[in-house]
Amino acid sequence: MRLMRVGLALLILATLGACAKTGLRYLPKPGEGPDEFIIVPSKPLEAPTSYSSLPAPTPGGANITDQQPLQDAIVALGGRRNVDTGTVVPSRDAALVNQVSRFGRDGNVRATLAAEDVDFRRRRGRLTRIRLARTDRYNDVYEKQALNADRELKRWRRAGARTPSAPN
């Protein structure tokens, strides 16, 4: 009888443990040590072809050996490295940028959205602070704003829209 109770208790614990859905949004640091993703290796040092062609040193500025992941990705995908690093938007894209920013643009949009998101989650998650186990509360908070793909597909098909990317 005692063995049966122990087995039942273990079964209940295993079942409850399987219910935890931490998801990919909960990524705690494994300990108090350094974060290895903060360390970015520099490019290897190279001897220049001509020492007179080197740019003047800029204290606190960019270095030749500094990583430039965006520029490196552009080159890896077949593009050309932007020579003028001060230009954020290439001249060929100026008309596009002017069109999409015709109602104004906020240069601090990421910080604004992050603050609004923290406030929204705080207001929506008043009772979700009580936790018996670690869970991913992201889906709970944003459930009303999520799209149901099947329902949207049916809605567009009833409206007569073609949906070639979602076959029958």
Side-chain angles (χ1 to χ4, degrees), residues 25-88:
R25 291 178 197 86
Y26 182 73
L27 299 172
K29 282 180 56 176
E32 295 299 320
D35 187 1
E36 63 272 9
F37 293 107
I38 292 177
I39 301 168
V40 178
S42 59
K43 293 180 183 175
L45 293 175
E46 297 176 353
T49 55
S50 168
Y51 286 99
S52 61
S53 67
L54 289 175
T58 55
N63 192 343
I64 295 174
T65 61
D66 289 345
Q67 293 284 358
Q68 297 176 344
L70 182 60
Q71 296 289 332
D72 294 342
I74 291 171
V75 171
L77 293 172
R80 288 182 293 160
R81 188 173 298 277
N82 190 0
V83 178
D84 183 15
T85 57
T87 305
V88 177

Side-chain angles (χ1 to χ4, degrees), residues 124-143:
R124 283 277 296 145
R126 291 189 195 281
L127 297 177
T128 61
R129 292 187 189 145
I130 303 168
R131 297 180 185 170
L132 298 176
R134 281 191 254 179
T135 57
D136 183 9
R137 298 290 182 198
Y138 185 88
N139 290 331
D140 296 341
V141 172
Y142 289 103
E143 186 175 15

